[in-house]
Amino acid sequence: MHPSHMHIKHWPVTERPRERLLSLGPGRLSDAELLAIFLGSGVRGQDAVVTSRNLLQEAGRLRGLLDRGARDMARLTGLGPARACKLSAALELNKRHLWAGLERGAPLSSAEDAGHYFSARLRPHQQEVFAVLFLDTKNCAVAFEELFSGTVNRAQVHPREVVRRALAHNAAAIIVGHNHPSGHSGPSAADRRLTEDLQKALDMVEIRLLDHFVIGDGLPASMASLGYL
């Protein structure tokens, strides 16, 4: 009998999600397997993996699940209020962990760390949001602000306001980012023009623009890595 037709405790050890995580690491597990470990058990008549697969299908894949608030999650089959609150709390802990990594006082070692933080903060938004990470002279994080929000596909960004907030934080450099609720992370022509406008405005007050992240599904797109900065 195939493992998927048996209860997890009867699966071969090498097929069980927890054992696979311990031996291979979490990055080798599927979305359903990771969610199954979180759930611990499935609904009546199902193991946790089957319940997790059904949950992801009902929610519209992993992003559709994790972008929901706790109340919306609680309505999904297999979660309920208690599990929804635990999952929502786990997501918030992830955001705070990422921020803690930025605020330890050590200089930002790679823009990739900031990109992950922008993803955690901006990806859940259903409308486009533009945010700024302010850095001091040693490239240590000073503050993070969501400055502009708009419609599903556009947030009106004013470079002058970005400069004003950077001066208010006495920032020596900034990293900016915005999300694409559609999930597409490729920078548009408008994104490239905005990057140029921001860089020009910041150059006038001697504040460096280190990167501009575009957040969609998958990894964030870095304007610096793409050669636009």
Side-chain angles (χ1 to χ4, degrees), residues 4 11 30 32 35 48-58:
S4 63
W11 291 15
S30 68
L35 185 57
V49 174
V50 172
T51 294
S52 296
R53 288 174 183 156
N54 292 339
L55 254 175
L56 293 172
Q57 184 175 10
E58 182 181 355

Side-chain angles (χ1 to χ4, degrees), residues 115-132:
H116 289 316
Y117 184 70
F118 273 94
S119 292
R121 287 293 299 263
L122 301 185
R123 187 172 286 152
H125 288 299
Q126 299 303 308
Q127 76 277 15
E128 192 168 298
V129 175
F130 179 91
V132 183

